[in-house]
Amino acid sequence: MALTPQNNEAFIREVDEELRREQMSNIGKRYGLWIIVAVLVALAAFGGWTWWNHHQNTLAGEQGEQLATALDDIQQGRVAQATEIVGKLTSSDKDAVRATALLTQADMLLSKNDTKGAAAAFGKVAADETLAQPFRDMALVRQTAVEYDSLQPQQVIDRLRGLADKGSPWLGSAGEMVAVAYLRQNKLQQAGQTFALIARTDGVPESVRARAVQMAGSLGVDAAPAGATAAQ
């Protein structure tokens, strides 16, 4: 009996489904063991990654506690003990820990009046491209402050140019050094404008802003905030 078009389509679907079931059965028989192995490997890999991530977090926490202990030792005058801990942490594989340890090491050298060693230590952090930019910027500001008297004014300006701009968290300290460098070059207008920028910027410490207002005023630059000027 000839199949009608509808029966023909149904027959084709049944054959197609049967072929698929047979193919899946053959795949299961041939590759079943390997599929199980692959699943186990994937689970083991996930478990290993989870353990490693937990281990790294635990290690970072331990190193952070060690660093906090070292900083407390420094405040309590136990410098020798802190020096050993900080020295070990300067080789940490955790960038934040390593950077903080290096900066602390530089400060410890500075407390011993070893300005050359401190400047070199700050410079090492500033030049380390593997560290986050805030650490590098802080180190550059500190390095410049330590070396300030030995630098030419233009060196200070070039080094801190990007950190003495509006929006920089280092405007207060970097801006003051740049402004004084302009004064040393007898560029009074640029110095006054830099002091005025410091004075008008929120977030700069009040003591620094107050000093900047006085300096800008002495150079003939109005450093009053725009709102205060309008109110008057």
Side-chain angles (χ1 to χ4, degrees):
M1 181 182 296
L3 294 172
T4 64
Q6 290 182 345
N7 289 336
N8 189 41
E9 290 178 4
F11 175 75
I12 292 174
R13 283 198 301 270
E14 290 180 4
V15 172
D16 186 47
E17 290 175 2
E18 185 62 31
L19 285 173
R20 289 178 183 176
R21 283 194 293 268
E22 185 177 352
Q23 289 173 349
M24 292 301 297
S25 177
N26 290 336
I27 290 174
K29 292 177 181 178
R30 182 176 298 181
Y31 302 110
L33 178 61
W34 293 109
I35 292 174
I36 293 172
V37 171
V39 170
L40 291 176
V41 170
L43 289 173
F46 177 76
W49 177 85
T50 302
W51 175 87
W52 181 86
N53 191 48
H54 174 73
H55 175 70
Q56 292 299 307
N57 290 334
T58 301
L59 184 60
E62 291 175 353
Q63 292 181 350
E65 290 178 1
Q66 292 174 9
L67 189 56
T69 299
L71 294 175
D72 183 64
D73 286 340
I74 292 172
Q75 291 181 344
Q76 299 299 324
R78 298 186 290 268
V79 179
Q81 184 174 338
T83 300
E84 181 180 356
I85 297 174
V86 171
K88 292 179 180 178
L89 294 176
T90 56
S91 59
S92 170
D93 59 347
K94 304 299 178 185
D95 291 349
V97 173
R98 186 171 81 256
T100 305
L102 288 169
L103 291 169
T104 302
Q105 195 174 60
D107 280 326
M108 294 174 70
L109 291 170
L110 192 58
S111 68
K112 298 177 182 178
N113 294 320
D114 184 359
T115 54
K116 186 176 181 180
F122 284 128
K124 181 179 179 180
V125 177
D128 190 342
E129 296 182 354
T130 67
L131 297 177
Q133 197 62 45
F135 291 117
R136 300 179 63 193
D137 290 344
M138 178 191 290
L140 184 61
V141 171
R142 299 298 306 281
Q143 178 190 7
T144 305
V146 172
E147 297 178 327
Y148 195 85
D149 292 336
S150 64
L151 297 173
Q152 293 298 315
Q154 193 59 46
Q155 287 179 287
V156 175
I157 295 168
D158 291 341
R159 183 184 287 187
L160 300 179
R161 192 183 304 277
L163 301 179
D165 293 335
K166 187 174 182 178
S168 168
W170 308 105
L171 174 59
S173 50
E176 277 195 318
M177 286 190 279
V178 168
V180 173
Y182 279 133
L183 286 177
R184 292 168 63 187
Q185 290 182 327
N186 202 33
K187 295 180 179 179
L188 306 186
Q189 186 64 24
Q190 290 94 323
Q193 290 174 347
T194 304
F195 280 123
L197 177 61
I198 296 171
R200 294 171 179 166
T201 302
D202 293 333
V204 174
E206 285 300 324
S207 59
V208 178
R209 294 178 68 182
R211 187 164 58 244
V213 169
Q214 294 178 347
M215 292 298 298
S218 68
L219 293 168
V221 178
D222 181 12
T229 303
Q232 295 176 357

PDB file of all heavy atoms in Angstrom, residues 100-118:
ATOM      1  N   THR A 100      52.774  48.412  49.857  1.00  0.00           N
ATOM      2  CA  THR A 100      52.711  49.014  51.193  1.00  0.00           C
ATOM      3  C   THR A 100      53.978  48.723  51.982  1.00  0.00           C
ATOM      4  O   THR A 100      54.485  49.592  52.703  1.00  0.00           O
ATOM      5  CB  THR A 100      51.478  48.491  51.958  1.00  0.00           C
ATOM      6  OG1 THR A 100      50.300  48.725  51.172  1.00  0.00           O
ATOM      7  CG2 THR A 100      51.336  49.194  53.294  1.00  0.00           C
ATOM      8  N   ALA A 101      54.488  47.510  51.838  1.00  0.00           N
ATOM      9  CA  ALA A 101      55.725  47.153  52.540  1.00  0.00           C
ATOM     10  C   ALA A 101      56.895  47.984  52.031  1.00  0.00           C
ATOM     11  O   ALA A 101      57.726  48.462  52.824  1.00  0.00           O
ATOM     12  CB  ALA A 101      56.014  45.665  52.359  1.00  0.00           C
ATOM     13  N   LEU A 102      56.975  48.165  50.724  1.00  0.00           N
ATOM     14  CA  LEU A 102      58.062  48.972  50.155  1.00  0.00           C
ATOM     15  C   LEU A 102      57.971  50.430  50.593  1.00  0.00           C
ATOM     16  O   LEU A 102      58.989  51.067  50.910  1.00  0.00           O
ATOM     17  CB  LEU A 102      58.024  48.881  48.624  1.00  0.00           C
ATOM     18  CG  LEU A 102      58.468  47.542  48.021  1.00  0.00           C
ATOM     19  CD1 LEU A 102      58.118  47.480  46.531  1.00  0.00           C
ATOM     20  CD2 LEU A 102      59.966  47.337  48.215  1.00  0.00           C
ATOM     21  N   LEU A 103      56.754  50.969  50.618  1.00  0.00           N
ATOM     22  CA  LEU A 103      56.570  52.346  51.068  1.00  0.00           C
ATOM     23  C   LEU A 103      56.915  52.483  52.547  1.00  0.00           C
ATOM     24  O   LEU A 103      57.525  53.482  52.964  1.00  0.00           O
ATOM     25  CB  LEU A 103      55.120  52.793  50.818  1.00  0.00           C
ATOM     26  CG  LEU A 103      54.727  52.978  49.349  1.00  0.00           C
ATOM     27  CD1 LEU A 103      53.214  53.145  49.220  1.00  0.00           C
ATOM     28  CD2 LEU A 103      55.445  54.187  48.740  1.00  0.00           C
ATOM     29  N   THR A 104      56.533  51.483  53.326  1.00  0.00           N
ATOM     30  CA  THR A 104      56.866  51.491  54.751  1.00  0.00           C
ATOM     31  C   THR A 104      58.369  51.413  54.952  1.00  0.00           C
ATOM     32  O   THR A 104      58.938  52.102  55.811  1.00  0.00           O
ATOM     33  CB  THR A 104      56.189  50.306  55.466  1.00  0.00           C
ATOM     34  OG1 THR A 104      54.771  50.393  55.278  1.00  0.00           O
ATOM     35  CG2 THR A 104      56.499  50.311  56.949  1.00  0.00           C
ATOM     36  N   GLN A 105      59.017  50.582  54.157  1.00  0.00           N
ATOM     37  CA  GLN A 105      60.475  50.453  54.230  1.00  0.00           C
ATOM     38  C   GLN A 105      61.146  51.790  53.917  1.00  0.00           C
ATOM     39  O   GLN A 105      62.118  52.187  54.580  1.00  0.00           O
ATOM     40  CB  GLN A 105      60.932  49.377  53.251  1.00  0.00           C
ATOM     41  CG  GLN A 105      62.347  48.880  53.468  1.00  0.00           C
ATOM     42  CD  GLN A 105      62.668  47.707  52.553  1.00  0.00           C
ATOM     43  OE1 GLN A 105      62.618  47.822  51.331  1.00  0.00           O
ATOM     44  NE2 GLN A 105      62.984  46.560  53.145  1.00  0.00           N
ATOM     45  N   ALA A 106      60.617  52.496  52.914  1.00  0.00           N
ATOM     46  CA  ALA A 106      61.167  53.800  52.558  1.00  0.00           C
ATOM     47  C   ALA A 106      60.990  54.797  53.699  1.00  0.00           C
ATOM     48  O   ALA A 106      61.903  55.582  54.020  1.00  0.00           O
ATOM     49  CB  ALA A 106      60.490  54.319  51.290  1.00  0.00           C
ATOM     50  N   ASP A 107      59.826  54.784  54.339  1.00  0.00           N
ATOM     51  CA  ASP A 107      59.575  55.679  55.472  1.00  0.00           C
ATOM     52  C   ASP A 107      60.497  55.369  56.638  1.00  0.00           C
ATOM     53  O   ASP A 107      60.942  56.276  57.355  1.00  0.00           O
ATOM     54  CB  ASP A 107      58.111  55.559  55.921  1.00  0.00           C
ATOM     55  CG  ASP A 107      57.168  56.368  55.042  1.00  0.00           C
ATOM     56  OD1 ASP A 107      57.582  57.443  54.559  1.00  0.00           O
ATOM     57  OD2 ASP A 107      56.032  55.927  54.827  1.00  0.00           O
ATOM     58  N   MET A 108      60.795  54.088  56.834  1.00  0.00           N
ATOM     59  CA  MET A 108      61.702  53.706  57.921  1.00  0.00           C
ATOM     60  C   MET A 108      63.110  54.218  57.658  1.00  0.00           C
ATOM     61  O   MET A 108      63.805  54.665  58.577  1.00  0.00           O
ATOM     62  CB  MET A 108      61.694  52.185  58.083  1.00  0.00           C
ATOM     63  CG  MET A 108      60.352  51.629  58.559  1.00  0.00           C
ATOM     64  SD  MET A 108      60.269  49.812  58.584  1.00  0.00           S
ATOM     65  CE  MET A 108      61.371  49.463  59.955  1.00  0.00           C
ATOM     66  N   LEU A 109      63.529  54.171  56.400  1.00  0.00           N
ATOM     67  CA  LEU A 109      64.837  54.730  56.049  1.00  0.00           C
ATOM     68  C   LEU A 109      64.851  56.241  56.269  1.00  0.00           C
ATOM     69  O   LEU A 109      65.843  56.805  56.742  1.00  0.00           O
ATOM     70  CB  LEU A 109      65.163  54.409  54.584  1.00  0.00           C
ATOM     71  CG  LEU A 109      65.452  52.941  54.264  1.00  0.00           C
ATOM     72  CD1 LEU A 109      65.522  52.723  52.750  1.00  0.00           C
ATOM     73  CD2 LEU A 109      66.761  52.499  54.914  1.00  0.00           C
ATOM     74  N   LEU A 110      63.731  56.878  55.940  1.00  0.00           N
ATOM     75  CA  LEU A 110      63.641  58.330  56.108  1.00  0.00           C
ATOM     76  C   LEU A 110      63.701  58.707  57.582  1.00  0.00           C
ATOM     77  O   LEU A 110      64.301  59.730  57.950  1.00  0.00           O
ATOM     78  CB  LEU A 110      62.341  58.840  55.477  1.00  0.00           C
ATOM     79  CG  LEU A 110      62.191  60.350  55.300  1.00  0.00           C
ATOM     80  CD1 LEU A 110      63.312  60.913  54.446  1.00  0.00           C
ATOM     81  CD2 LEU A 110      60.845  60.668  54.671  1.00  0.00           C
ATOM     82  N   SER A 111      63.090  57.873  58.429  1.00  0.00           N
ATOM     83  CA  SER A 111      63.122  58.149  59.872  1.00  0.00           C
ATOM     84  C   SER A 111      64.535  58.051  60.432  1.00  0.00           C
ATOM     85  O   SER A 111      64.824  58.602  61.498  1.00  0.00           O
ATOM     86  CB  SER A 111      62.196  57.178  60.613  1.00  0.00           C
ATOM     87  OG  SER A 111      62.707  55.852  60.563  1.00  0.00           O
ATOM     88  N   LYS A 112      65.408  57.344  59.707  1.00  0.00           N
ATOM     89  CA  LYS A 112      66.812  57.227  60.120  1.00  0.00           C
ATOM     90  C   LYS A 112      67.683  58.294  59.455  1.00  0.00           C
ATOM     91  O   LYS A 112      68.914  58.226  59.517  1.00  0.00           O
ATOM     92  CB  LYS A 112      67.350  55.843  59.756  1.00  0.00           C
ATOM     93  CG  LYS A 112      66.632  54.689  60.444  1.00  0.00           C
ATOM     94  CD  LYS A 112      67.180  53.352  59.961  1.00  0.00           C
ATOM     95  CE  LYS A 112      66.444  52.191  60.595  1.00  0.00           C
ATOM     96  NZ  LYS A 112      66.934  50.863  60.095  1.00  0.00           N
ATOM     97  N   ASN A 113      67.033  59.252  58.783  1.00  0.00           N
ATOM     98  CA  ASN A 113      67.716  60.328  58.051  1.00  0.00           C
ATOM     99  C   ASN A 113      68.521  59.811  56.868  1.00  0.00           C
ATOM    100  O   ASN A 113      69.452  60.494  56.398  1.00  0.00           O
ATOM    101  CB  ASN A 113      68.625  61.138  58.994  1.00  0.00           C
ATOM    102  CG  ASN A 113      67.830  61.899  60.038  1.00  0.00           C
ATOM    103  OD1 ASN A 113      66.771  62.447  59.736  1.00  0.00           O
ATOM    104  ND2 ASN A 113      68.329  61.925  61.261  1.00  0.00           N
ATOM    105  N   ASP A 114      68.173  58.624  56.395  1.00  0.00           N
ATOM    106  CA  ASP A 114      68.818  58.094  55.193  1.00  0.00           C
ATOM    107  C   ASP A 114      67.997  58.555  53.987  1.00  0.00           C
ATOM    108  O   ASP A 114      67.244  57.790  53.383  1.00  0.00           O
ATOM    109  CB  ASP A 114      68.868  56.566  55.261  1.00  0.00           C
ATOM    110  CG  ASP A 114      69.616  55.948  54.082  1.00  0.00           C
ATOM    111  OD1 ASP A 114      70.089  56.709  53.198  1.00  0.00           O
ATOM    112  OD2 ASP A 114      69.697  54.702  54.013  1.00  0.00           O
ATOM    113  N   THR A 115      68.155  59.822  53.635  1.00  0.00           N
ATOM    114  CA  THR A 115      67.341  60.398  52.557  1.00  0.00           C
ATOM    115  C   THR A 115      67.664  59.775  51.205  1.00  0.00           C
ATOM    116  O   THR A 115      66.768  59.586  50.379  1.00  0.00           O
ATOM    117  CB  THR A 115      67.550  61.915  52.479  1.00  0.00           C
ATOM    118  OG1 THR A 115      68.953  62.197  52.352  1.00  0.00           O
ATOM    119  CG2 THR A 115      67.029  62.603  53.731  1.00  0.00           C
ATOM    120  N   LYS A 116      68.924  59.446  50.987  1.00  0.00           N
ATOM    121  CA  LYS A 116      69.306  58.828  49.723  1.00  0.00           C
ATOM    122  C   LYS A 116      68.656  57.464  49.570  1.00  0.00           C
ATOM    123  O   LYS A 116      68.101  57.127  48.509  1.00  0.00           O
ATOM    124  CB  LYS A 116      70.831  58.709  49.634  1.00  0.00           C
ATOM    125  CG  LYS A 116      71.327  58.203  48.288  1.00  0.00           C
ATOM    126  CD  LYS A 116      72.845  58.201  48.229  1.00  0.00           C
ATOM    127  CE  LYS A 116      73.331  57.715  46.861  1.00  0.00           C
ATOM    128  NZ  LYS A 116      74.833  57.719  46.795  1.00  0.00           N
ATOM    129  N   GLY A 117      68.728  56.662  50.620  1.00  0.00           N
ATOM    130  CA  GLY A 117      68.113  55.335  50.582  1.00  0.00           C
ATOM    131  C   GLY A 117      66.601  55.423  50.467  1.00  0.00           C
ATOM    132  O   GLY A 117      65.976  54.639  49.743  1.00  0.00           O
ATOM    133  N   ALA A 118      66.002  56.384  51.187  1.00  0.00           N
ATOM    134  CA  ALA A 118      64.552  56.550  51.140  1.00  0.00           C
ATOM    135  C   ALA A 118      64.098  56.970  49.745  1.00  0.00           C
ATOM    136  O   ALA A 118      63.110  56.440  49.214  1.00  0.00           O
ATOM    137  CB  ALA A 118      64.109  57.591  52.169  1.00  0.00           C
TER     138      ALA A 118
END
